[in-house]
Amino acid sequence: MHHNDRLTTQDALAFERTLDQALNSPDLRAALSHTTGSVNAEQLRSAALRSRDTLAAAAAAEYRELVRLRTASAGARARIVPSPSGAGTTSRSGGLLPALGVLIPGLATTAAAVFLLFGFGLRAVAPSSLADNLITAGWTAAGVAVVATLVGLIWLLVTAARNRAGDAFAESDPAAARAHEVWQLALLERGITPFLLGRIDAAESGARAAERPALPRPAAAGVAGGAGEGRPAPADGPGFSSPDFASPDFASPDFAGPDYGRPGFTGPSTPDSP
């Protein structure tokens, strides 16, 4: 993935919102309702979050356009320089409130502890109006500390929620806001929804394959290693004998005339020698 395509923290939250939108869509709910329990919405959400970079790559072009418009909008805002007096006032007020939120509860708690300690100590030694006044001042300081602490916590929570909402949901530039919507739509249609449906199909295919009973393997008849009826039972020997090879009967040819062997035949006549 290109380094400009990596999602920022703001866009990672937008990815999770788009993922939740896909999981709550009618198509995904219908697909999950037809499953046999092999996968659920939480498993799909975890798988999509693990594959966030891969799914975001399906809408990389739209995200680059969104980043470009954000950069251009930030550059335009940077050229608008605020006045020095306004900046100083904002800085002083921004630093004063947190300081007071920390100092007032601490000082009030310390004062309450001191007043109550001396007040109860004086009352134990010699009851007097001074001891009563110190105890009253101590309880007053304790109340101030509690109220200041609660106000500071509420202010911090409101400020954090406002900053989070402004960073996560709002686009200051209208063009960037439109580009953000286009990116989320492309991410939903080309990345998240096909991924979730594919995971559901894969889980269902695996479940059906696991539930299918295994068929018995037929034994081949007459084949070595089988148990068919056509295979002969093994005996002491291999079950066959070697062929009988004998030499052919060859006799010398009879070179004799047709009267050879008849009675009175004395053999061939030889010519008289001269």
Side-chain angles (χ1 to χ4, degrees), residues 220-239:
V223 180
E229 297 179 356
R231 184 188 178 195
D236 295 336

Side-chain angles (χ1 to χ4, degrees), residues 149-200:
T149 302
L150 291 177
V151 171
L153 288 176
I154 293 173
W155 179 77
L156 288 176
L157 292 175
V158 170
T159 303
R162 185 183 304 163
N163 292 337
R164 187 181 298 114
D167 291 340
F169 299 102
E171 293 285 352
S172 58
D173 185 31
R178 289 192 297 271
H180 192 274
E181 294 176 359
V182 171
W183 168 66
Q184 283 188 305
L185 182 61
L187 183 64
L188 178 66
E189 293 181 349
R190 298 204 304 265
I192 296 177
T193 301
F195 174 82
L196 297 178
L197 292 176
R199 297 284 294 195
I200 292 174

Side-chain angles (χ1 to χ4, degrees), residues 3 8 38 56 61 65 76 83 96 100 147 152 184 195 206 218 246 257 271:
H3 68 278
T8 61
S38 57
E65 180 66 15
S83 61
L96 181 60
L100 291 177
V147 172
Q184 283 188 305
F195 174 82

